[in-house]
Amino acid sequence: MVNMFLARVSLERMVFALLVLAASVCAAQTDETSTQVDESSARVVSATAATEQVRAELVASVDAVVPGGEIYLGVHQQIIPHWHTYWVNPGDSGNATTIEWTLPEGASASDIIWPSPSRFSMGPITNYAYENNVTLLSKISVPSSLAVGDTFTAYALVDWLVCKEECIPQQVELALSLPVVSSKAEAGEGSPLIQTALAQVPIASPWEISALQSEIDTDTGAGSLQLRIGLSAEQIAQVSDIWFYPYDWGRIRQSELQQRENLTDAIQLTIPTGDAPAEVGDELAGVLVIREQQGIARGYEIKVPVQALSADNPANDSPISFASALLLALLGGIILNLMPCVFPVLSIKALSLVNHAHHSTVVIRRQGYMYTLGVLTSFAVLALLLILLKAGGNQIGWGFQFQSPVFVLLVAYLLFAVGLSLSGVFFIGGSVTGVGSSLAEKPGYSGSFFTGVLATVVATPCTAPFMAAALGYALAQPPVKLMAIFLSLGFGLALPYLLLSCWPRVQRWMPRPGLWMERVKQFLAFPMYAAAIWLVWVLVQQTGASGVIVALGGCLLIALAAWVYDATRNSSNKQRVLGMAVALVLLLLAIVGGIKQLGEAEQSGQKPAAAENWEPYSDERLQQLLTEGKPVFLNFTASWCISCLVNERVALSTDAVKKQFEQQGITYLKGDWTNRDATITAFLKKFNRSGVPLYVFYPAGQADKPKELPQILTPDIVIAAVSER
């Protein structure tokens, strides 16, 4: 029988076999101990073959086959460290392994049964693949026409791509011959690798799963796929990691973070869609890999119809409505005026109002309108930037621009220049009057507009009460709603000055202009200097100590430019032009040189070392502590967040709070969002937050019941929160 089968093997196949033999001699390291030679055809058949990176072996679930039965055959790949071969959907690059079977007449093989994959990322590329070892199974139907005593021989032509930093396509041919017996009792147990592989094959999901597809932006192609996995609260608490691997390429963006949100009765994953998103009504198929707190990972196969994500079919049970978000944003904007970021700027504008008290109500009202326009324009630009970044798949939040050292440096320069102007070092008329002392002296409307811009710029490191919920809601909404909420926030910021400028009765209560205004103006320079110093400190957190030299050197050049400009301002035309040219060159040196040197300094930036009573946050550390049932206090902060720094100083660093933490055995984890950190961004989103601060307390043994603390802390608030049962 075997001879008849082999006689039907095509001449091409035999030639190919000889080529494989030559390749095995020259390039592969064939395991001679398992090689079998069929003398009748002169075809070398081997159960194993090896390249430099992968050793492949053909294994079976039995030692002998029974006519009419089914068996598993598997191609086991032993991969050297740091290399990998690919899953059925390889991800952003790569090729899936293929197996071409040649079987006796009447036999058939299923498609590859793929074990759960892992994800491998290199820069912006993410692949789905296997490392170390994997067994790719196929179910084989044995023909009933086989006669007991014959031999069942299977050939497998296996192609794979094995990659590390470089990729190498490789091919081997394997063969395995099994005797034909009459009963299962004689079939034997086969290779244990088969049982191991079967345990790694995804099983059908036991939970109700829904897939919701958002509308795809026709211009940018941006959209999101939301999976809701119906787990119980107890099951959710056991999940340390969850990831969806679609069978089809392009359904999602492999390299993007899959945002996880724990709901009351489900886990929700929000995943940016890829280049070939599923249509409504399509079947979404793939593997959901869940890693439990104990470190055990398991794959669950899902096949669900895709539904449209709409208002009638929301994926996220947001605790607030759009109208509520608008109101909260308005209130948050009003309170933002009292935050330390904005108050000095508002004081300057109030001083301007006093100076203009003798003007007509129409002029003063227009000043208020222009200030409001400046604020709203700035917030619109900020919202537009967020929309564009979201469309590009970026994970962003409130104050994200302060995660850029270049932005921090430029704002430090700006505030330093404002301080110099308030101190009288230089005077600039015209359109930029609003950022200096001339703001209070010139009637130009442009000054009011740019003061509104400045107020917005310095407001973004602060977060006021009510803002968090509104911004968290906004960042999950379509562009139109996001823009509306940001404008509401901006209107709230502008509202106090707008009311002052439009309410004549309040204007009559203002003091008369006089020398005191000049003194107040000069005094207001010092908050600006203080803000610049703070930003230099932020820069040090981002880029290391060399950031100080860059920033202070730039400030020196700006001060020199201001002095040269002002010293020549009232000179002859020639001297004035020369003075302006020198000042401009110095200013460019400060900005361009600072940005260039900052890029070099950023490479060697250092994060602050852990203090005595806290540890740096990491997902792994948090999950470890929660698994052990220990209480955990989380503080998500950033060096550019003034509210965060104030809370740490007045509450979290006090002896009373430290003592309480120590007595209760609370582990204090601090997540630093000063620089971009996708892990922290993802955690913030779990609590519908778009920025810091965020304070969360996990009581002992209650990993599923975290307590969220308010954004403004006192020692009593912290102690009460961690002491409640």
Side-chain angles (χ1 to χ4, degrees):
M1 186 69 181
V2 174
N3 292 338
M4 292 176 61
F5 166 70
L6 292 176
R8 287 193 293 269
V9 175
S10 65
L11 177 61
E12 291 81 0
R13 172 69 69 186
M14 295 174 65
V15 171
F16 178 77
L18 292 174
L19 292 175
V20 171
L21 172 61
S24 66
V25 171
C26 298
Q29 303 168 7
T30 304
D31 186 348
E32 296 180 353
T33 59
S34 55
T35 298
Q36 304 171 25
V37 179
D38 190 316
E39 296 179 350
S40 64
S41 64
R43 182 177 183 178
V44 175
V45 289
S46 171
T48 63
T51 66
E52 185 177 344
Q53 292 80 23
V54 182
R55 181 180 184 277
E57 180 181 5
L58 188 57
V59 295
S61 59
V62 293
D63 299 322
V65 299
V66 177
E70 286 188 337
I71 65 170
Y72 286 104
L73 292 180
V75 175
H76 179 73
Q77 295 177 327
Q78 188 70 42
I79 309 164
I80 65 174
H82 310 301
W83 291 73
H84 56 262
T85 59
Y86 291 91
W87 190 52
V88 59
N89 173 6
D92 289 324
S93 65
N95 275 323
T97 299
T98 62
I99 305 175
E100 181 181 338
W101 293 101
T102 300
L103 301 170
E105 184 177 3
S108 63
S110 70
D111 293 335
I112 296 176
I113 302 171
W114 300 91
S116 301
S118 299
R119 57 186 188 275
F120 299 84
S121 296
M122 178 179 291
I125 301 298
T126 295
N127 296 129
Y128 302 151
Y130 306 102
E131 63 179 356
N132 298 327
N133 62 76
V134 62
T135 303
L136 304 179
L137 299 174
S138 294
K139 184 177 285 187
I140 308 295
S141 297
V142 179
S144 57
S145 57
L146 291 179
V148 175
D150 285 347
T151 301
F152 179 92
T153 301
Y155 296 86
L157 184 63
V158 189
D159 288 270
W160 64 70
L161 185 68
V162 62
C163 296
K164 185 184 176 187
E165 294 174 352
E166 68 275 23
C167 293
I168 307 173
Q170 298 177 338
Q171 183 185 78
V172 299
E173 186 179 31
L174 306 171
L176 184 66
S177 294
L178 300 170
V180 179
V181 297
S182 59
S183 66
K184 291 184 179 179
E186 303 174 76
E189 297 180 352
S191 171
L193 291 172
I194 298 293
Q195 293 303 319
T196 302
L198 286 172
Q200 296 171 346
V201 172
I203 61 175
S205 169
W207 309 292
E208 182 179 353
I209 295 178
S210 60
L212 303 176
Q213 175 71 61
S214 74
E215 186 175 349
I216 305 298
D217 190 299
T218 54
D219 295 327
T220 64
S224 64
L225 173 69
Q226 296 184 335
L227 290 179
R228 180 177 294 190
I229 303 101
L231 300 171
S232 66
E234 292 75 16
Q235 291 170 328
I236 293 172
Q238 292 299 314
V239 176
S240 66
D241 184 61
I242 182 168
W243 202 266
F244 174 63
Y245 299 83
Y247 283 139
D248 297 319
W249 179 88
R251 292 290 189 250
I252 64 171
R253 293 186 185 179
Q254 283 76 219
S255 57
E256 296 295 333
L257 185 67
Q258 298 187 2
Q259 299 287 348
R260 170 185 168 182
E261 182 176 0
N262 291 344
L263 306 177
T264 305
D265 55 354
I267 286 180
Q268 180 173 288
L269 293 180
T270 302
I271 313 168
T273 48
D275 295 332
E279 300 285 343
V280 174
D282 288 350
E283 182 181 72
L284 181 71
V287 177
L288 200 64
V289 177
I290 297 178
R291 183 175 296 279
E292 299 178 0
Q293 300 288 2
Q294 296 77 13
I296 301 172
R298 186 65 170 141
Y300 299 91
E301 187 172 43
I302 64 172
K303 292 181 180 179
V304 293
V306 176
Q307 305 173 57
L309 177 62
S310 65
D312 296 331
N313 195 11
N316 188 359
D317 298 327
S318 177
I320 62 175
S321 64
F322 177 54
S324 300
L326 288 174
L327 179 60
L328 291 174
L330 181 68
L331 294 174
I334 294 172
I335 298 175
L336 201 56
N337 284 282
L338 302 177
M339 295 292 110
C341 329
V342 186
F343 197 70
V345 179
L346 190 65
S347 300
I348 293 174
K349 200 57 200 166
L351 200 63
S352 168
L353 195 62
V354 172
N355 194 32
H356 297 155
H358 60 285
H359 291 170
S360 68
T361 55
V362 174
V363 171
I364 294 176
R365 191 177 297 125
R366 288 176 179 172
Q367 295 278 356
Y369 294 156
M370 291 304 295
Y371 173 78
T372 304
L373 182 61
V375 173
L376 293 181
T377 301
S378 303
F379 269 86
V381 171
L382 185 61
L384 184 61
L385 187 58
L386 285 167
I387 291 168
L388 293 176
L389 290 172
K390 281 184 63 182
N394 291 279
Q395 305 298 326
I396 39 79
W398 178 250
F400 70 96
Q401 66 272 36
F402 278 86
Q403 294 175 334
S404 164
V406 171
F407 184 84
V408 172
L409 178 70
L410 295 180
V411 175
Y413 284 170
L414 174 62
L415 295 183
F416 180 66
V418 170
L420 291 177
S421 181
L422 292 172
S423 295
V425 175
F426 75 108
F427 169 84
I428 297 180
S431 62
V432 292
T433 55
V435 297
S437 62
S438 56
L439 173 67
E441 299 169 0
K442 292 288 181 181
Y445 296 128
S446 57
S448 294
F449 179 86
F450 282 106
T451 304
V453 174
L454 179 63
T456 304
V457 170
V458 299
T460 46
C462 278
T463 303
F466 306 117
M467 278 180 57
L471 291 175
Y473 175 87
L475 292 176
Q477 300 305 308
V480 173
K481 286 187 176 180
L482 187 150
M483 179 66 76
I485 292 171
F486 267 69
L487 290 178
S488 179
L489 180 62
F491 186 70
L493 179 64
L495 192 56
Y497 180 75
L498 183 63
L499 291 177
L500 284 175
S501 61
C502 295
W503 199 354
R505 181 176 298 177
V506 175
Q507 296 170 20
R508 287 198 292 270
W509 294 345
M510 292 185 175
R512 294 182 178 179
L515 181 61
W516 68 271
M517 292 178 57
E518 182 64 20
R519 296 288 181 262
V520 171
K521 184 192 72 172
Q522 294 171 356
F523 172 77
L524 289 176
F526 292 97
M528 296 299 169
Y529 294 138
I533 292 172
W534 159 63
L535 288 172
V536 172
W537 177 78
V538 172
L539 204 60
V540 172
Q541 310 305 307
Q542 295 174 317
T543 64
S546 54
V548 176
I549 300 299
V550 175
L552 296 187
C555 287
L556 177 62
L557 291 173
I558 289 173
L560 184 58
W563 178 77
V564 169
Y565 168 78
D566 200 73
T568 58
R569 183 165 57 90
N570 295 319
S571 303
S572 64
N573 288 341
K574 184 177 180 181
Q575 290 177 329
R576 187 169 63 252
V577 171
L578 179 62
M580 289 182 63
V582 171
L584 184 59
V585 170
L586 292 171
L587 188 62
L588 290 175
L589 280 176
I591 295 175
V592 178
I595 292 174
K596 181 180 178 182
Q597 295 176 42
L598 209 58
E600 300 172 359
E602 193 177 1
Q603 300 298 323
S604 58
Q606 298 177 350
K607 291 186 176 182
E612 183 179 354
N613 68 325
W614 60 270
E615 301 177 25
Y617 168 83
S618 70
D619 273 348
E620 294 76 16
R621 179 59 174 154
L622 174 62
Q623 296 305 330
Q624 177 192 354
L625 292 168
L626 296 181
T627 302
E628 295 171 357
K630 295 182 178 178
V632 183
F633 186 90
L634 298 180
N635 169 16
F636 290 98
T637 181
S639 299
W640 39 263
C641 169
I642 295 181
S643 303
C644 307
L645 302 181
V646 171
N647 284 334
E648 290 188 26
R649 189 60 59 90
V650 304
L652 298 174
S653 298
T654 59
D655 291 339
V657 171
K658 288 181 178 178
K659 184 178 179 180
Q660 191 70 25
F661 280 14
E662 184 177 349
Q663 288 177 346
Q664 293 186 217
I666 297 172
T667 301
Y668 177 14
L669 300 181
K670 186 185 292 189
D672 188 353
W673 209 45
T674 302
N675 293 309
R676 291 184 180 181
D677 189 316
T679 303
I680 294 179
T681 305
F683 193 94
L684 293 175
K685 286 206 168 188
K686 294 178 186 175
F687 289 84
N688 284 325
R689 292 295 186 90
S690 61
V692 291
L694 172 64
Y695 307 103
V696 179
F697 175 61
Y698 288 90
Q702 300 182 39
D704 57 336
K705 297 179 180 177
K707 296 181 181 178
E708 187 176 341
L709 278 68
Q711 292 172 289
I712 304 300
L713 297 180
T714 66
D716 290 341
I717 290 175
V718 178
I719 292 172
V722 302
S723 301
E724 289 178 359
R725 298 293 179 183

